[in-house]
Amino acid sequence: MSASDVLHPYPTPATTPPGTPSTNPPITVLASSRVVVEGGLTPATLVISLHTGKITSIFHSVLPASDFPPGTSYTDHTPLVLLPGLVDAHVHLNEPGRTEWEGFWTGTQAAAFGGVTTVVDMPLNAIPPTTTVNGLKEKVSAAQGQCWVDVGFYGGIVPGNARELKQLVREGVRGFKGFLIDSGVEEFPAVSSTDIAIAMTELADEPTVLMFHAEMIPPISDSVGDDVQWSLPPLAPIGPLDEYRTFLASRPASFETYAISQILSLAPYAPKLPLHIVHLSAVEAIPLIRAARARGIKITTETCFHYLSLAAEAIRNGDTRHKCCPPIRMQSNQEGLWDELLHGNEGVIQTVVSDHSPCTPNLKLLPPGIDRKYSNAPEANGDFFAAWGGVSSVGLGLSILWTEGQKRGITVEDVVRWCCTNTAKQVGLEHQKGDLRVGFDGDIVVFDDKATFEVGPSSMLFRNKCSPYQGKRLQGTIKETWLRGRKIFSKEQGFGKGICPQGQLLLEPRKRTI
């Protein structure tokens, strides 16, 4: 079968007959009997220009190498699956300022190991945070030459930075994030409803998205006002501080539902501005968001790999590797998140991200019974309230999701929708990333959906090997990761000798969408 027999519906710009030498720029050709093309699984052959890094042709069959010019780089990966590179739209890389926690080099290598070809960096916990144009410039300077995958950046909304927001949009941030509760770092304070209203007014007509860490201590009466978010909980924790259930009780679902209600009440300030709830954990919030969408409010939400795979009942006393905010909730809650996710385009939850939020292991205060490697300090007592909150998982997400999803009958098309197509759309990259289409970047994952591995130091390439997934067996491994038609990682050879980071910084301003 010749290439001309299988062009429809993907025309190729090539005019040279297959099998003859070409003076065109060199190409890479990847094929498999299973490729997710425009959201559907099909046999396909992908042709990528190494000059532009773009997919130039897609054929609906596995073409032989002889159909291409002599010397063409060609691999048939059958029966492995070819997926678009994942877009992880929620990652904390922490550089500059807290590079000992994570950095561009290690964080993006970990991403590439897991088939993630684009990450979007959160505005904290770097110092300075990305809340000013100068802060963004420092971030960009630190990232130069350090990125193994493509990297975009979010800006932050904090009290008093409203005048920076429009210029941050012009400088290329993919969106903005604010906290309605203490963020844990003093340089990124929480915003009040007044601050949110000002930010919404400022960004009302901008091509961006406004995102929220939606937790807030509910007031004791309707007349308390914004100052309630600065108050302490009314009671000290009830129960041992090293028991997870004590921590879980301190961050109830009402924190999320109240915060989301506050955000929705402010939406009229900017009716055209897309809103987004990051890392949704509580199923009680889903009806609120569904009702708001039915009223025409432009709001979306994401959940995280850890909320879909970890459950409160299974967390051992003192295992603070599981601490994050909002917290990991009960198994019944996890099932509710899966139910919503599996509603497809009708569901409230449309994206799944890592929220990779690492720290140095000593800040986790792990007791000797959990991991002796990090338990030398006297204060290493497993205190869930004193330990830093955040789950390290960048580069493990595809395998985590696939492993847990096998119990629920998910498909590779589902994974692509949640972790590629929809995340790319969330950050304004839907015309470039998150799909295998002619004209899109040649970001491709070679995925072995049958192979398994045990999570250990060799599969946790982020800087600090401290994660609740350590020791767990996961299904689904990444054989190769390709960025714009060039192989940047392989299971057999790693990142290869003499290969330099190829990632680009995605700073072209977002385009307005209708």
Side-chain angles (χ1 to χ4, degrees):
M1 180 179 292
S2 70
S4 61
D5 294 323
V6 289
L7 285 176
H8 185 75
Y10 301 107
T12 172
T15 57
T16 304
T20 62
S22 172
T23 58
N24 290 334
I27 59 174
T28 290
V29 179
L30 301 179
S32 177
S33 59
R34 296 192 295 162
V35 185
V36 181
V37 176
E38 297 191 21
L41 191 64
T42 179
T45 302
L46 310 174
V47 181
I48 309 161
S49 166
L50 295 182
H51 177 67
T52 64
K54 303 290 186 180
I55 299 171
T56 59
S57 308
I58 301 177
F59 303 91
H60 267 286
S61 70
V62 178
L63 300 185
S66 59
D67 274 9
F68 298 93
T72 296
S73 172
Y74 172 96
T75 309
D76 177 4
H77 287 284
T78 302
L80 303 182
V81 188
L82 302 187
L83 309 174
L86 274 65
V87 178
D88 192 339
H90 192 144
V91 176
H92 294 264
L93 292 174
N94 298 344
E95 189 175 4
R98 290 192 175 94
T99 311
E100 71 275 14
W101 292 18
E102 190 60 273
F104 288 104
W105 185 281
T106 52
T108 58
Q109 272 202 343
F113 172 90
V116 177
T117 53
T118 303
V119 301
V120 187
D121 177 63
M122 280 292 167
L124 71 165
N125 301 303
I127 302 175
T130 314
T131 53
T132 65
V133 171
N134 286 338
L136 175 64
K137 289 180 177 178
E138 288 196 44
K139 174 79 73 170
V140 169
S141 177
Q144 296 291 341
Q146 300 290 315
C147 300
W148 290 87
V149 303
D150 288 356
V151 177
F153 303 94
Y154 290 122
I157 58 168
V158 294
N161 80 325
R163 292 185 178 180
E164 298 276 348
L165 302 183
K166 286 185 178 180
Q167 188 57 37
L168 282 167
V169 174
R170 309 289 184 271
E171 295 289 334
V173 299
R174 314 309 308 174
F176 294 89
K177 179 184 181 181
F179 275 71
L180 275 74
I181 200 168
D182 181 26
S183 71
V185 292
E186 62 181 358
E187 65 274 2
F188 203 95
V191 287
S192 68
S193 60
T194 301
D195 299 317
I196 295 170
I198 293 171
M200 285 182 170
T201 302
E202 192 75 7
L203 295 171
D205 297 313
E206 296 295 326
T208 192
V209 59
L210 188 53
M211 310 183 302
F212 297 96
H213 178 125
E215 284 186 291
M216 193 172 181
I217 301 170
I220 56 175
S221 79
D222 290 338
S223 63
V224 170
D226 286 329
D227 288 344
V228 70
Q229 69 182 301
W230 306 108
S231 68
L232 295 174
L235 297 173
I238 300 175
L241 302 185
D242 66 342
E243 288 190 6
Y244 186 75
R245 61 181 179 180
T246 308
F247 173 68
L248 179 59
S250 76
R251 314 282 292 223
S254 59
F255 278 30
E256 289 188 71
T257 56
Y258 181 67
I260 291 170
S261 295
Q262 284 284 94
I263 294 161
L264 295 175
S265 73
L266 296 166
Y269 279 96
K272 295 186 293 184
L273 178 65
L275 307 176
H276 183 76
I277 305 301
V278 300
H279 50 51
L280 183 76
S281 79
V283 294
E284 290 87 344
I286 290 172
L288 292 174
I289 301 170
R290 182 181 295 118
R293 288 171 62 86
R295 297 195 305 272
I297 295 177
K298 298 177 66 173
I299 186 166
T300 56
T301 191
E302 67 191 36
T303 193
C304 302
F305 302 118
H306 43 277
Y307 298 131
L308 296 171
S309 62
L310 304 174
E313 296 95 322
I315 299 175
R316 291 184 292 168
N317 291 352
D319 194 351
T320 53
R321 293 174 299 185
H322 294 78
K323 180 184 176 180
C324 58
C325 299
I328 294 163
R329 302 192 187 277
M330 307 296 280
Q331 183 66 45
S332 59
N333 185 89
Q334 182 189 123
E335 298 303 329
L337 294 175
W338 271 107
D339 287 346
E340 188 66 22
L341 193 62
L342 290 169
H343 276 139
N345 292 331
E346 301 303 316
V348 164
I349 303 172
Q350 290 291 312
T351 54
V352 185
V353 297
S354 70
D355 187 13
H356 175 66
S357 185
C359 64
T360 53
N362 61 298
L363 296 178
K364 282 293 188 182
L365 307 180
L366 285 168
I370 301 297
D371 193 330
R372 293 187 178 277
K373 181 179 179 182
Y374 304 126
S375 305
N376 297 325
E379 65 271 18
N381 56 6
D383 183 340
F384 278 98
F385 291 82
W388 175 261
V391 171
S392 294
S393 65
V394 69
L396 299 176
L398 175 54
S399 302
I400 293 166
L401 193 62
W402 188 246
T403 301
E404 196 65 27
Q406 294 313 288
K407 307 171 189 176
R408 297 166 172 86
I410 73 167
T411 66
V412 288
E413 297 100 309
D414 292 326
V415 172
V416 167
R417 185 172 68 254
W418 300 328
C419 302
C420 306
T421 310
N422 289 351
T423 46
K425 182 178 180 181
Q426 177 186 320
V427 296
L429 294 171
E430 66 269 29
H431 304 299
Q432 177 182 354
K433 303 285 188 182
D435 206 348
L436 298 180
R437 293 175 181 256
V438 171
F440 276 48
D441 288 352
D443 300 347
I444 298 167
V445 180
V446 183
F447 182 54
D448 186 339
D449 58 324
K450 304 298 183 185
T452 63
F453 69 101
E454 183 176 300
V455 178
S458 64
S459 52
M460 296 187 293
L461 301 195
F462 34 85
R463 185 179 298 279
N464 295 294
K465 321 302 182 189
C466 183
S467 171
Y469 293 101
Q470 185 165 358
K472 295 185 183 296
R473 180 154 290 277
L474 301 178
Q475 180 178 340
T477 64
I478 286 73
K479 183 179 179 182
E480 294 176 0
T481 303
W482 294 69
L483 183 68
R484 289 185 300 279
R486 299 184 185 275
K487 183 165 59 177
I488 58 171
F489 170 80
S490 73
K491 185 178 179 182
E492 289 75 22
Q493 299 178 340
F495 291 89
K497 294 182 179 179
I499 298 179
C500 298
Q502 300 292 315
Q504 297 181 359
L505 305 185
L506 304 174
L507 291 168
E508 181 179 349
R510 287 184 68 152
K511 295 179 174 61
R512 193 178 308 280
T513 58
I514 298 175

